[in-house]
Amino acid sequence: MKEHYINLPLNANDIEQLSVGDKVYLSGEVFTARDVAHARLDALLRDNMALPFELQDICLFYCGPSPTPEGKICGAIGPTTSARMDRFTPLLIEHGLRVMIGKGDRSEEVTQSIRAHHAVYLVCIGGASALLNQSVVSRETFLWDDLGTEAIIRLVVKDLPAYVSVV
Amino acid sequence: MNTRLIQDSEVEQRVFEAIQFITFNLDPNIKPILDKAYLNEQDPLAKDVLTSIITNIGLAKTNLIPLCQDTGTLVVFAELGNRVLIEGKTLEQAINKALARATETCYLRATVLSDPLFNRVNLGTNLPAIVHTKIVEGSELHLHIAQKGGGAENMSRLKMFNPSACPQDIIDYVVETVSLAGSKACPPLIVGVGIGGNFEQCALLAKKALFVDIYANHPDPSYRDMEKDMLIAINETKIGAQGMGGNLTALAVHIMTAPCHIASLPVAVNLQCHSHRHLAITI
C-alpha cells in the first residue's frame, strides 16, 4: 500500500501520482457539503451565479460534523454516502472541482467524469469519527448556517487519512 | 395484584444515561471480533482499515467524541410490565425528554427532520425517538436503546416472496442486499433478517434481530444453519471492511421469525454498520 502526504489543494501533478488503493494523508483546507448544499451549489451554477469559492481550488468533503463540544476544536467527523451527491457531481467537475472525499461507490457517469477531467475521488473510513477528529486543526461554518450540520463548513486538516477510490 | 410505580423522571434519567453511554461506547462484543479478524487478515489495505476502526473505539471513549458523526435516530424497544405504572409523563414523552437533553449535552448531531418530503426542516432536537412498546407480564420496564445511523438503514430492503420460494432464494436475497450496499452501509455489518409475519411485522423483526446478543443463534436448527450459511456467503463476497476487500464483510447474521399468512413469505433485511451502538437497561 503506497502512502502519500499531500497538501491541499491538489494540483494535476499530485493527482497523476495517485493510484486506486493508495493511502493519502491530506493537509490543508476542505469544505463540507451534503445533499442540500449540493442542491444549492447546483442551482447557483445553473443560474450562472457566482459560487462562494473557486471550485478548482477546493476539496469537497461529503460530511456533516456533529456539534463541537465545549473546549474542543471539532466534533465527530466522517464521510456520508457519496452516491447521493452523484446527480450534482458531473456539473461541479465541469466547472472545475477536482477533489472529493466521501464513502462508497460512485455512479458510472461520475466515475467517467472524474477520469475524463483528471480529478480524484477519495474515501474516508465511515464510523471512525473520533479518529478523524484528531486531524482537524480548525472548524468554522463557511456558508448557509441555516442548514445546521448540512451547512458548508470549512475545516483545516492535518494528515487526514483517506484512500484513493477513483482516479 | 400490586402495581409498581415508576416515576417518569427515573425513566428519563436512565434513558439519558444510556444515550450518553452508547454515544461513546461501542457494543463490547464487537472489538474482540475485529481484533481476531485483524490477526487473520492478510490484505494490507483491509488490515489498515480494521486498525482505524479498532483505534476509533478507544479514542471515542477516552476523548468523548462520538463513535460516528451520524449519531442517528434513537430507536427504543420497550417491554413494559403489566404491573408497572409510569407516573407523570408517558413512556414516550419521558424518552423524548431524555433524547432532547442528550442531544444538547452530549453534542449529538441534529439529524432528524420534521417532515420527510415537503418541509425538511431540522429543528435541532432529534425528536421524536422511534419507540416500539410491548406489554409483557411483570413489574419491570425493559428498554433496549439504540442509535441507528442512516447509511446502513438506507441500504436495507424488504421483499414479499412467494411461499414457494426455497431457503436458498432467501439466502441469495440477503447476500444480494449486502452486495448492493457495498461500502455504503459501512461494513463490517450486522445483518438482521426478518422472515414471516406481514409487511410491517417483518421489518420490525429484522430490526429487532440486530439487537440480540451478537453470539446468539436462532433456537430452531434449520434457521440457525441458515444464519451460518448467510454469514459464510456474505463474507465470501470479499467486500470487506469499508468495502476495501478482505475477509470480514459481516460480523453476524441474526434471523427472527413469525407466523405468516398462507399466501405470504415476507423477508426483510435490515443492515447495521460496525458502529453498533445499543444498550439494554431494566428499571
Side-chain angles (χ1 to χ4, degrees):
Chain A
M1 189 178 57
K2 210 169 160 190
E3 295 188 328
H4 310 260
Y5 285 81
I6 299 176
N7 289 317
L8 295 165
L10 288 183
N11 58 41
N13 188 43
D14 294 325
I15 293 173
E16 214 168 278
Q17 311 299 318
L18 303 176
S19 304
V20 172
D22 288 356
K23 188 168 189 179
V24 293
Y25 295 91
L26 303 167
S27 296
E29 191 182 56
V30 300
F31 292 89
T32 69
R34 292 174 53 103
D35 310 61
V36 187
H38 269 78
R40 289 189 184 181
L41 290 172
D42 187 74
L44 288 175
L45 283 176
R46 287 178 194 282
D47 293 344
N48 293 315
M49 307 275 281
L51 291 193
F53 32 50
E54 295 292 334
L55 281 172
Q56 58 268 30
D57 296 339
I58 64 145
C59 164
L60 282 187
F61 184 16
Y62 310 139
C63 167
S66 68
T68 308
E70 212 176 304
K72 296 206 159 75
I73 294 168
C74 183
I77 61 159
T80 194
T81 302
S82 308
R84 297 200 316 272
M85 269 44 84
D86 279 353
R87 58 183 286 207
F88 304 115
T89 302
L91 188 65
L92 291 168
I93 291 176
E94 272 172 41
H95 283 80
L97 180 67
R98 291 294 175 265
V99 190
M100 294 141 273
I101 312 172
K103 97 177 172 201
D105 294 339
R106 308 306 299 260
S107 68
E108 191 52 41
E109 188 195 359
V110 169
T111 301
Q112 280 178 13
S113 173
I114 288 169
R115 290 187 182 136
H117 291 86
H118 305 288
V120 63
Y121 167 55
L122 308 166
V123 291
C124 264
I125 295 178
S129 298
L131 178 72
L132 298 180
N133 163 277
Q134 295 200 308
S135 298
V136 181
V137 176
S138 73
R139 173 216 200 271
E140 59 181 358
T141 300
F142 179 75
L143 193 67
W144 298 325
D145 197 21
D146 60 302
L147 296 181
T149 185
E150 297 205 78
I152 293 186
I153 294 163
R154 180 181 174 272
L155 301 172
V156 177
V157 295
K158 170 85 176 127
D159 297 337
L160 181 78
Y163 304 87
V164 179
S165 178
V166 180
V167 70
Chain B
M1 190 173 80
N2 291 330
T3 301
R4 180 183 166 215
L5 291 180
I6 298 177
Q7 297 300 318
D8 60 351
S9 57
E10 189 184 353
V11 176
E12 188 212 322
Q13 181 59 24
R14 294 290 302 279
V15 172
F16 171 80
E17 287 166 6
I19 299 171
Q20 187 174 44
F21 185 80
I22 61 176
T23 301
F24 308 112
N25 295 275
L26 199 68
D27 176 333
N29 288 320
I30 304 286
K31 191 172 173 293
I33 303 175
L34 294 172
D35 286 337
K36 195 177 157 199
Y38 173 82
L39 289 174
N40 295 333
E41 186 61 67
Q42 300 300 318
D43 183 77
L45 187 54
K47 252 181 137 66
D48 193 62
V49 171
L50 286 170
T51 304
S52 294
I53 292 174
I54 293 165
T55 308
N56 186 63
I57 299 169
L59 284 174
K61 187 177 177 174
T62 310
N63 296 346
L64 296 180
I65 294 292
L67 284 152
C68 180
Q69 82 285 347
D70 184 356
T71 51
T73 45
L74 194 76
V75 178
V76 181
F77 285 99
E79 288 187 353
L80 180 63
N82 60 351
R83 290 194 284 279
V84 174
L85 178 68
I86 297 172
E87 225 176 20
K89 296 191 183 320
T90 67
L91 175 61
E92 282 201 45
Q93 285 170 332
I95 291 170
N96 281 328
K97 212 171 158 196
L99 176 57
R101 180 149 70 99
T103 295
E104 204 176 320
T105 60
C106 303
Y107 299 95
L108 304 185
R109 192 177 76 178
T111 300
V112 176
L113 304 175
S114 57
D115 178 86
L117 187 57
F118 292 111
N119 190 26
R120 288 179 67 90
V121 174
N122 194 330
L123 299 175
T125 58
N126 279 323
L127 299 187
I130 297 169
V131 183
H132 307 287
T133 306
K134 190 178 170 187
I135 307 295
V136 296
E137 267 188 50
S139 311
E140 291 175 332
L141 171 61
H142 299 282
L143 298 172
H144 204 123
I145 295 160
Q147 283 177 347
K148 190 74 176 74
E153 199 71 1
N154 279 347
M155 305 316 292
S156 302
R157 296 201 300 173
L158 189 148
K159 180 172 176 175
M160 304 303 282
F161 277 84
N162 279 326
S164 58
C166 64
Q168 189 59 45
D169 295 336
I170 295 173
I171 293 172
D172 291 346
Y173 179 71
V174 172
V175 177
E176 185 189 61
T177 303
V178 173
S179 295
L180 288 171
S183 52
K184 295 184 183 104
C186 278
L189 306 169
I190 292 152
V191 181
V193 183
I195 305 178
N198 64 356
F199 187 80
E200 87 278 4
Q201 190 186 26
C202 186
L204 204 52
L205 288 171
K207 175 76 75 200
K208 271 183 116 159
L210 297 175
F211 302 111
V212 302
D213 183 287
I214 198 154
Y215 295 111
N217 295 116
H218 197 283
D220 180 322
S222 302
Y223 289 110
R224 200 181 309 155
D225 288 346
M226 225 175 151
E227 289 174 334
K228 284 180 191 155
D229 291 344
M230 285 174 181
L231 184 60
I232 290 167
I234 288 168
N235 285 327
E236 278 173 357
T237 62
K238 304 286 180 192
I239 292 167
Q242 289 295 305
M244 300 286 199
N247 297 312
L248 190 68
T249 306
L251 302 156
V253 178
H254 298 297
I255 295 174
M256 286 186 96
T257 51
C260 73
H261 192 283
I262 48 173
S264 298
L265 177 46
V267 175
V269 188
N270 199 188
L271 301 180
Q272 169 64 51
C273 62
H274 63 83
S275 198
H276 193 32
R277 296 155 289 176
H278 67 118
L279 188 70
I281 60 171
T282 299
I283 299 174

